[in-house]
Amino acid sequence: MDSDLIKLVNRLQDTFHHLGGELDMPQLVVVGSQSAGKSSVLENIVGRDFLPRGQGIVTRRPLVLQLIHTPIPDPSSSPPAYTEWAQFLHIDKRFTDFNEVRREIEQETYRVAGQNKGISRLPISLRICSPNVLDLTLVDLPGLTKIPVGDQPSDIERQIRTLVTEYISKPSSVILAVSPANVDLANSDSLKLARSVDPQGRRTIGVLTKLDIMDAGTNALDILTGRVYPLKLGFIGVVNRSQQDIISEKSMTDALDSESEFFNNHAAYRNIAHKNGTKYLARSLNQVLINHIREKLPDMKARLNTLMGQAQQELNSFGDAAIFGDKNQQGALILRLMNQFAHDFIASIEGTKVDVSTKELSGGARVYYIFNDVFGHALASIDSTAGLDNQDIRTAIRNSTGPRPSLFVPEAAFDLLVKPQIKLLEAPSLRCVELVYEELVKLCHNCTSPDLERFPRLHAQLIECVSELLRERLGPTSDYAQSLIEIQAAYINTNHPAFISGSAVAAQTATSQAPKQLAPPRTPEDGDESVAEELAGVNGVVSRDWAFCFLDAPRSSPDHGIRTLCVIIKTCAPGTSPHSARETFLNYFFGQNGPGPVGGSSLERSHGSLAPAPTGRDISNTDTPGPTGLMAGKRPLDGNNAAYDMRSLGKHIEAVSSSDSGAQMTQREEMETSLIRSLIASYFAIVRQSIQDLIPKAIMHFLVNHSTKEVQNRLVAALYRPELFAELLDEDETLVAERTRVKALLDAYKEAFKTLSDVNLKPL
């Protein structure tokens, strides 16, 4: 019965070693300082030389040693059976030569831990079957050290202590603390480490080595009898072979006989000789391990029950592979996964997903961030008059009037200048479409589930199908966004209510910025009051709007003959309609039929004979003042004068170029330029506000909403085909192997639980 318990634990340990189970088996863990004699104790228990030896750290990987007692084979059997053999779990071979066992341990250590003196936590499992051993399970760990020697890592002490603590901290482990007797017990590293995890000493066995080389006149009787450091399981003294005995190849039998003779003949140890020695240690360890297994059986059963539940849950998450052969069940599974994928995609956009992140924006919140922050800031950062300098505006005004001088700011110049500025809104609008498209694609890739992860091909096809739908909608969305910009540039609505009010402010700002010395005001004696009355009465209404006219300078002024711009403001009379006021302003500002004054108006009748404004420069180098304008080079007509000869025009006139940075603008041109710039800013703000509102709506309609409505239909139409079921439900090879492993582990858990239950039913 007792041997069956240890064999059962060994069998479970082998099974879980291959499958990677988490069940902690009862076992003896050997702990001690470097060169304390741990390996010699194990070899004495086994009765064979099989462990590597040498200077410094030799044991660099945990060695799980299973000792199995076997009956002596019948000598008459044919072929003759081996009495003793060893077998590793990593190699399917029986070793009868224990020197080969030592070489295999060294090679396996080098293979994993390397040629240097580093350590590894991956254990080596060795099973030794012999009629000379008792059933035991021991774990030999690297010896505790303090100072790195040679090419050892600088943190070798911390690595070893961490590894040892990991093993001895398990409640299922019995600690075999090996200490040399020729060193003060207060300095024992093994006992100190054992006390840190077992303060009361309930599962610690003390082993004293090197009793035969203690100083003369000293002994370890008080320690062995428990009067110095009490342990529940006590101390046991042993005498190992010396280095000279190992070199001279002293046999294990002779070594055990010498050990018995030492205890029986020693004056201090003679009375306790029957409780010391390697044979007594082996019997004690066997009984301690059996009692420990009995004590831990309920815990092992409870742990197995928990592990079975976890393994069953993990196996269920992998799904049942048996349903993949049925076409009907395959179709239902694919349809369910499609619906789940489409639902997750839509829920991510709408913000109704269950596992919503609290650390960063995700899903539809990122789309809103693009609309409100990214796109909004991009539009706000655009300068309404970017790329327009004063020379460009002046050139546009001149080119839009042709050969005629303008009385008012021409509407054609305003159209010519504002349309390229509206085009500046196109780039950020198209980029906004691209950003939303990219976010939807990312959202599609993030839609997954444990069921979908089982079928990588199906998951990839779902992502590709939705991505294709998004790509199809990207073109129409971008085209519509571009058309919105073109629509705004196609018709400049100067009758927009916001533009009219903004234009009045712009005109007021422009005139307030103009030099106040434009022209002396006309007095009522000069007849300007009648002009103001005519301006105030245009179209039969009294308007609170802006009226523009040109007045002559007083005759006494040195600027006599130069026409100046005058802006007259009249207060709106009660009952005046806003529509009439707007018409009055726009008619006078832009005119009805292009540049120039309103046809048939009192302004034209009163000032129809006003001279044109200058449009060129005189370069004839004459000293006498003369007419300004294009005809500045005119001379008295005679037969020798060639002023009007077109072939020699270039000799007399310098063309005014927009690139002529040195040309100074007149006061009127400065006022017109400032006014046009203010009007462009006013109208651009209207268009920008409209685009900022329309582009997100277009994206939501053409791209986002359309995709969410069509995604499920597209998935079903593209992938729900019986001929594709087998290919789509092709599982990942790694997942298939993991399912097989978990299933085997679950079967092992069930078998172990059944075996432990049967053992528990038998009388102990």
Side-chain angles (χ1 to χ4, degrees):
M1 170 61 189
D2 294 341
S3 61
D4 292 341
L5 281 176
I6 297 179
K7 290 179 180 178
L8 170 64
V9 171
N10 290 339
R11 188 166 64 250
L12 294 178
Q13 197 169 37
D14 293 344
T15 301
F16 296 141
H17 173 80
H18 290 295
L19 297 177
E22 300 177 359
L23 185 63
D24 296 331
M25 300 295 175
Q27 55 192 3
L28 298 167
V29 180
V30 184
V31 182
S33 300
Q34 189 172 300
S35 302
K38 304 189 310 304
S39 298
S40 298
V41 171
L42 294 179
E43 288 182 338
N44 288 346
I45 293 175
V46 175
R48 288 282 188 172
D49 290 329
F50 68 97
L51 293 175
R53 292 182 177 274
Q55 296 295 326
I57 181 171
V58 178
T59 304
R60 297 191 288 124
R61 290 180 60 184
L63 176 65
V64 180
L65 180 62
Q66 296 178 358
L67 303 181
I68 301 175
H69 177 76
T70 57
I72 301 176
D74 188 1
S76 60
S77 62
S78 181
Y82 293 107
T83 304
E84 296 177 307
W85 73 87
Q87 186 175 6
F88 293 93
L89 291 184
H90 66 270
I91 183 173
D92 188 14
K93 177 184 177 182
R94 284 190 175 186
F95 294 85
T96 56
D97 185 358
F98 283 85
N99 291 324
E100 293 184 7
V101 174
R102 180 187 299 111
R103 287 192 292 269
E104 180 62 29
I105 293 175
E106 292 175 348
Q107 292 177 3
E108 185 65 13
T109 300
Y110 292 151
R111 184 182 68 84
V112 176
Q115 295 290 337
N116 61 3
K117 298 299 183 180
I119 65 171
S120 171
R121 59 195 329 107
L122 188 64
I124 300 175
S125 295
L126 174 63
R127 180 187 299 118
I128 295 179
C129 300
S130 171
N132 302 321
V133 299
L134 297 175
D135 293 324
L136 285 176
T137 302
L138 304 104
V139 180
D140 186 21
L141 295 175
L144 300 171
T145 185
K146 293 184 179 297
I147 301 175
V149 178
D151 58 351
Q152 288 181 348
S154 58
D155 61 339
I156 187 67
E157 179 184 4
R158 182 189 59 80
Q159 291 185 25
I160 295 177
R161 285 185 176 274
T162 302
L163 177 62
V164 172
T165 304
E166 181 180 340
Y167 273 87
I168 65 177
S169 60
K170 299 175 182 178
S172 59
S173 299
V174 176
I175 304 172
L176 191 65
V178 180
S179 303
N182 59 344
V183 177
D184 191 352
L185 197 66
N187 297 324
S188 173
D189 292 331
S190 60
L191 289 176
K192 178 182 178 181
L193 203 59
R195 172 174 280 187
S196 65
V197 297
D198 182 29
Q200 298 179 353
R202 294 182 179 274
R203 53 185 181 93
T204 302
I205 301 177
V207 177
L208 282 182
T209 61
K210 302 182 180 182
L211 291 170
D212 54 333
I213 59 174
M214 294 183 67
D215 293 339
T218 62
N219 59 69
L221 182 63
D222 291 341
I223 298 176
L224 293 175
T225 54
R227 291 195 290 265
V228 175
Y229 189 87
L231 292 175
K232 180 180 180 182
L233 300 178
F235 281 89
I236 299 176
V238 295
V239 176
N240 300 324
R241 293 181 298 169
S242 64
Q243 187 64 32
Q244 183 61 39
D245 294 337
I246 296 174
I247 295 175
S248 61
E249 297 181 354
K250 184 177 182 179
S251 66
M252 285 294 181
T253 304
D254 295 341
L256 293 178
D257 292 340
S258 299
E259 181 187 42
S260 299
E261 182 179 355
F262 171 80
F263 282 111
N264 290 326
N265 297 333
H266 196 281
Y269 307 133
R270 184 183 302 119
N271 295 329
I272 57 173
H274 62 286
K275 290 187 177 182
N276 290 279
T278 301
K279 294 182 179 180
Y280 178 78
L281 175 63
R283 292 194 301 268
S284 299
L285 294 180
N286 175 265
Q287 191 61 41
V288 167
L289 184 59
I290 291 174
N291 294 336
H292 194 64
I293 293 174
R294 287 176 177 175
E295 181 183 350
K296 294 299 178 182
L297 271 179
D299 295 338
M300 292 176 63
K301 289 174 62 178
R303 179 61 179 164
L304 277 173
N305 197 17
T306 302
L307 292 175
M308 282 191 297
Q310 295 176 354
Q312 185 65 53
Q313 186 177 2
E314 185 177 2
L315 186 62
N316 293 338
S317 67
F318 293 139
D320 188 2
I323 69 172
F324 300 150
D326 190 352
K327 291 287 185 182
N328 296 329
Q329 294 184 353
Q330 287 179 348
L333 177 60
I334 288 180
L335 193 60
R336 179 175 63 84
L337 294 178
M338 284 181 183
N339 293 336
Q340 182 180 358
F341 184 86
H343 178 269
D344 290 345
F345 180 70
I346 297 173
S348 299
I349 295 176
E350 296 179 351
T352 58
K353 199 172 182 180
V354 177
D355 51 341
V356 178
S357 175
T358 59
K359 303 298 182 182
E360 61 179 0
L361 294 178
S362 62
R366 294 183 66 88
V367 176
Y368 170 78
Y369 178 79
I370 293 173
F371 288 158
N372 188 61
D373 289 6
V374 179
F375 182 56
H377 291 167
L379 293 184
S381 64
I382 299 177
D383 184 8
S384 58
T385 57
L388 290 180
D389 56 16
N390 293 339
Q391 297 293 338
D392 295 334
I393 298 177
R394 182 177 68 170
T395 303
I397 295 175
R398 291 184 178 182
N399 289 337
S400 62
T401 58
R404 300 180 307 277
S406 62
L407 294 178
F408 310 107
V409 178
E411 185 175 2
F414 178 73
D415 289 357
L416 181 65
L417 293 170
V418 80
K419 287 181 180 180
Q421 304 308 111
I422 294 176
K423 285 290 186 179
L424 297 177
L425 301 174
E426 182 176 343
S429 299
L430 296 180
R431 182 55 183 158
C432 180
V433 176
E434 295 174 358
L435 288 176
V436 175
Y437 165 76
E438 293 171 2
E439 285 300 327
L440 293 180
V441 172
K442 292 179 184 178
L443 213 60
C444 170
H445 281 78
N446 292 334
C447 291
T448 184
S449 63
D451 292 338
L452 272 178
E453 291 177 354
R454 293 168 47 198
F455 311 107
R457 292 188 180 181
L458 176 60
H459 191 200
Q461 288 296 324
L462 291 174
I463 293 176
E464 178 61 28
C465 190
V466 177
S467 299
E468 183 180 358
L469 174 62
L470 294 174
R471 284 194 298 269
E472 291 177 2
R473 301 306 305 167
L474 177 61
T477 307
S478 299
D479 293 342
Y480 187 77
Q482 190 172 6
S483 69
L484 287 176
I485 307 299
E486 295 174 352
I487 288 171
Q488 294 291 340
Y491 179 68
I492 306 302
N493 182 20
T494 57
N495 200 34
H496 193 283
F499 180 65
I500 292 175
S501 59
S503 300
V505 176
Q508 184 180 12
T509 304
T511 55
S512 64
Q513 292 176 353
K516 296 183 179 180
Q517 301 90 342
L518 272 176
R522 295 284 297 273
T523 62
E525 290 78 7
D526 295 329
D528 292 341
E529 187 174 359
S530 60
V531 177
E533 290 174 354
E534 291 182 9
L535 289 174
V538 172
N539 293 335
V541 297
V542 179
S543 169
R544 185 179 180 177
D545 252 317
W546 298 84
F548 294 83
C549 69
F550 289 98
L551 302 179
D552 293 331
R555 297 181 183 273
S556 61
S557 172
D559 296 329
H560 173 65
I562 299 179
R563 300 157 64 242
T564 56
L565 180 64
C566 178
V567 183
I568 300 176
I569 307 175
K570 280 296 182 178
T571 305
C572 189
T576 303
S577 66
H579 178 71
S580 301
R582 289 195 299 269
E583 287 182 351
T584 302
F585 165 70
L586 291 176
N587 290 342
Y588 271 93
F589 185 68
F590 290 112
Q592 289 181 338
N593 301 315
V598 181
S601 66
S602 59
L603 180 63
E604 185 179 10
R605 291 193 301 269
S606 301
H607 301 275
S609 61
L610 293 177
T615 58
R617 296 197 285 145
D618 183 5
I619 60 171
S620 59
N621 296 326
T622 58
D623 296 332
T624 56
T628 60
L630 186 62
M631 305 308 294
K634 180 178 179 181
R635 295 292 181 269
L637 295 177
D638 55 33
N640 297 327
N641 196 305
Y644 296 101
D645 187 358
M646 298 302 295
R647 290 174 296 178
S648 61
L649 184 61
K651 300 179 182 178
H652 304 275
I653 302 298
E654 178 184 357
V656 179
S657 172
S658 62
S659 63
D660 187 4
S661 59
Q664 296 295 328
M665 291 192 298
T666 63
Q667 293 176 343
R668 174 185 172 181
E669 286 174 338
E670 290 180 358
M671 183 174 178
E672 288 176 345
T673 300
S674 176
L675 184 59
I676 282 288
R677 190 179 295 275
S678 301
L679 293 175
I680 291 174
S682 175
Y683 193 81
F684 185 84
I686 297 173
V687 177
R688 174 164 50 193
Q689 183 178 5
S690 178
I691 291 300
Q692 188 173 359
D693 179 61
L694 290 177
I695 291 296
K697 291 180 179 179
I699 295 175
M700 289 298 298
H701 175 70
F702 284 94
L703 183 61
V704 180
N705 293 343
H706 188 277
S707 299
T708 56
K709 290 179 182 178
E710 296 295 329
V711 59
Q712 190 163 0
N713 295 335
R714 176 63 67 91
L715 292 177
V716 174
L719 300 179
Y720 192 73
R721 301 176 183 177
E723 62 271 15
L724 299 177
F725 288 170
E727 179 183 356
L728 295 177
L729 293 180
D730 186 15
E731 291 187 287
D732 186 11
E733 295 180 357
T734 305
L735 187 140
V736 174
E738 186 67 13
R739 180 199 287 124
T740 304
R741 186 194 69 82
V742 173
K743 190 175 185 307
L745 189 62
L746 179 61
D747 294 339
Y749 285 153
K750 291 180 179 179
E751 183 66 25
F753 186 81
K754 181 181 179 182
T755 303
L756 291 180
S757 299
D758 294 341
V759 169
N760 197 28
L761 293 176
K762 297 178 181 179
L764 298 178

